């Protein structure tokens, strides 16, 4: 026998968990072995194929073992009738069960006793004698290959199609439709100064909406633009009539005021909330090695640190009891409150700010596993999509139970933003007026949040019928597709403003220490290094004139432009993928495509390559001009 190679040994180590009763302790080298394998796969096709093959064999072997155990448990029961293993198995065999005999079914004279046994063991009902006779005659004419699959095999096939499986019971929505699934995640508090673009009233568009003029200029009073302006003014009026304005005034006092947010990352591992509760009790009562709630959860989360379970809630999960959903959401609210140190006024805006920060972290190429030790781009895009589903749920809840102004603000933000961009781009716009300056500054600060809200609330996506599309133009219901160039203008201005403020990261990076003030910024492995670039700020004077310099100015601004162009590419792909309350399989596939798009952006060799990957057709001189307007806002 050949001795195992290094890759196989590393795989054995990464697959081994601590077992105190057996005297097995890995001392956390499992995560190191997993990281080593991932590093060896990077830019090495031969090694990547070998590692993927080893991991695939292990998964297949585990599936075989699970199938054998399930088969042994169920093969005896199958003598009484078709097993009700899962909803999917029941649906897939319903049609064939009406026309084919059930293996081991009793004779017609024993139909009553067979029905009683089926009821006792929780099995499906036996067919009537007439149905059995018809099925028997048709079965004789058919070949043996047309026989129905055993129920346990259909159940196993249904398990293979699951996007999520509980880390404890290894069953998902199909086998446990009444159990609520959640994602293990890691949440932390983030402090961002208003001087670094962290003021909530700037980010959520409050200042921009209030700075909108009382009426739309006559030159822009077209049908669609008037509709957008009206929605924006409705949101502004709702803010003016609520307590939000006083909160905005308080947050605007003093540029050094700190603002507190949360940011969440995930490794994509799911668990039933009920299974987590049982496992938590078992961990605490373990006499040999008792563990706290999240110590045990970290082991179940592939040794990735976690401190919260985010419920996977959608309207499609109709069999989950409402009490279970409310309890899970209450637990999330408690964790968020403890993390922030205060109870949030609106969970909708907590989630929206969390999503914005996650997108910023991705746009800046920051390593998302630096906080908790794990989590890929794909798993965090999965988190992002499900958090968007939750945001939609919170918006509906705000309309009915919370303050209606909260929902009006969020739903009208993108419309008001588009109207503001159109007003600022108009030839007669006076940039020296104080209200106009607030409007242009608001456009730059609000662009990422407005783009996110546009896709969240005005992106029917695949649910649009063909009759809704006129010619080759996108449906008017898909706001991003109709106005993506205006959102791009806002994001470029945002890049200029963040550059003028000296912001070089998402704001979620932890500092090495108070004395040094330096930040420990870990980049994603595929993030191409463009260098620090020239300090383009010296080419923009206070009056807005640019000193003459040879070469294309966009290369001077490339490092500052890179995050927002990357974010534009993510939003553009997200608009193609996002559908509210999509099923788990489609959501999983969408997260993979989003991760692939972001990887393309990371690998771009320069700004020209990135613009091509992001499908930005805007003239480069115009990009530079818009960037400078944002820097001066």
């Amino acid at each position: 026998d050949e001795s195992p190679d290094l890759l196989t040994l590393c795989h054995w180590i990464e697959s081994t968990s601590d077992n105190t009763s057996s005297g097995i302790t890995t001392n956390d080298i499992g995560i190191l072995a997993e990281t080593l394998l991932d590093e060896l796969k990077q830019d090495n096709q031969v090694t990547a194929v070998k590692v993927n093959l080893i991991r695939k064999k292990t998964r297949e072997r585990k599936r075989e073992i699970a199938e054998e155990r399930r088969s042994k448990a169920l093969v005896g029961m199958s003598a009484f009738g078709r097993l009700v293993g899962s909803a999917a198995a029941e649906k897939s065999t319903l049609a064939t069960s009406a026309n084919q005999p059930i293996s081991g079914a009793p004779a017609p004279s024993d139909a009553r006793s067979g029905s009683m046994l089926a009821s006792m063991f929780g099995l499906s009902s036996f067919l009537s004698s007439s149905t059995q006779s018809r099925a028997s005659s048709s079965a004789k004419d058919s070949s043996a290959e047309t026989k129905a699959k055993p129920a346990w095999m259909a159940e196993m096939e249904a398990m293979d199609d699951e996007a999520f499986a509980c880390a404890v019971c290894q069953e998902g929505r199909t086998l446990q439709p009444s159990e609520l699934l959640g994602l293990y995640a890691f949440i932390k508090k983030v402090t961002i100064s208003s001087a670094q673009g962290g003021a909530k009233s700037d980010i959520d568009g409050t200042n921009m909406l209030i700075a909108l003029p009382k009426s739309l200029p006559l030159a822009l009073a077209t049908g669609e633009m008037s509709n957008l302006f009206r929605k924006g003014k409705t949101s502004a009026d709702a803010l003016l009539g609520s307590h939000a304005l006083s909160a905005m005034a308080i947050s605007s006092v003093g540029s050094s005021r700190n603002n507190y947010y949360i940011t969440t990352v995930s490794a994509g591992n799911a668990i039933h909330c009920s299974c987590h509760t049982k496992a938590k009790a078992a961990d605490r009562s373990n006499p040999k090695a008792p563990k706290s709630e999240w110590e045990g959860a970290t082991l179940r989360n592939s040794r990735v640190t976690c401190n919260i379970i985010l419920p996977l809630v959608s309207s499609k999960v109709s069999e989950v009891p409402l009490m279970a959903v409310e309890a899970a959401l209450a637990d999330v609210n408690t964790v968020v409150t403890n993390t922030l140190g205060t109870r949030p006024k609106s969970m909708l805006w907590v989630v929206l700010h969390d999503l914005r920060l996650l997108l910023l972290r991705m746009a800046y190429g920051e390593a998302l596993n630096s906080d908790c030790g794990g989590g890929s781009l794909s798993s965090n895009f999965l988190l992002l999509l499900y958090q968007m589903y939750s945001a939609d749920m919170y918006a509906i809840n705000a309309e009915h139970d919370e303050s209606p102004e909260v929902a009006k603000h969020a739903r009208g933000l993108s419309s008001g933003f588009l109207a503001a961009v159109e007003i600022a781009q108009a030839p007669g716009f006076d940039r020296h007026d104080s209200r106009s300056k607030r409007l242009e500054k608001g456009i730059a600060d609000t662009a990422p949040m407005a783009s996110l809200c546009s896709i969240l609330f005005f992106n029917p996506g695949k649910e649009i019928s063909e009759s809704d599309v006129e010619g080759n133009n996108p449906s008017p219901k898909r706001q991003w597709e109709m106005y993506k160039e205006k959102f791009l203008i806002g994001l470029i201005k945002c890049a200029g403003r963040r550059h003028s403020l000296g912001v070089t990261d998402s704001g979620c990076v932890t500092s090495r220490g108070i004395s040094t003030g330096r930040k420990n910024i870990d980049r994603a492995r595929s993030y191409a290094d463009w260098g620090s670039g020239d300090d383009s700020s010296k080419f923009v004077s206070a009056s807005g004139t640019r000193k003459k310099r040879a070469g294309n100015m966009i290369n001077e601004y490339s490092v500052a432009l890179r995050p927002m162009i990357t974010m534009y590419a993510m939003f553009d792909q997200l608009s193609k993928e996002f559908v509210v309350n999509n099923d788990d399989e489609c959501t999983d596939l969408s997260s993979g495509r989003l991760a692939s798009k972001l990887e393309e952006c990371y690998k771009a060799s320069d700004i020209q390559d990135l613009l091509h990957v992001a499908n930005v057709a805007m003239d480069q001189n115009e990009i530079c001009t818009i960037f400078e307007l944002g820097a001066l806002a």
Side-chain angles (χ1 to χ4, degrees), residues 164 180-184 269-273 309-312:
F164 292 109
L180 180 62
L181 271 173
L183 274 182
Y184 276 133
N269 294 317
I271 188 171
H272 288 125
C273 294
I309 296 178
L310 298 174
L312 302 180

Side-chain angles (χ1 to χ4, degrees), residues 94-219:
L94 186 59
T96 57
S97 64
N99 298 315
Q100 297 183 9
I102 300 178
S103 174
S109 60
D110 296 334
R112 182 175 302 176
S113 61
S115 177
M116 180 180 67
L117 289 172
S119 176
M120 289 173 59
F121 288 97
L123 308 179
S124 58
S125 301
F126 289 93
L127 300 177
S128 64
S129 58
S130 59
T131 304
Q132 292 184 36
S133 61
R134 289 195 301 269
S136 300
S137 61
S138 62
K140 292 179 181 179
D141 299 332
S142 62
S143 63
E145 295 179 355
T146 60
K147 292 182 179 179
K149 295 180 180 179
W152 62 266
M153 184 179 295
E155 184 178 341
M156 290 301 301
E157 291 178 352
M159 288 179 64
D160 292 342
D161 295 335
E162 290 275 24
F164 292 109
C166 175
V168 174
C169 67
Q170 300 301 316
E171 295 180 345
R173 295 194 199 269
T174 303
L175 300 178
Q176 296 288 343
S178 61
E179 292 291 338
L180 180 62
L181 271 173
L183 274 182
Y184 276 133
F186 179 80
I187 184 175
K188 74 172 184 178
K189 183 178 180 179
V190 175
T191 304
I192 305 177
S193 170
S194 297
Q196 297 294 305
K200 292 184 178 179
S201 57
D202 291 332
I203 294 172
D204 63 19
T206 301
N207 292 338
M208 181 205 68
L209 291 172
I210 294 176
L212 286 171
K214 295 182 179 179
S215 60
L216 191 65
L218 294 177

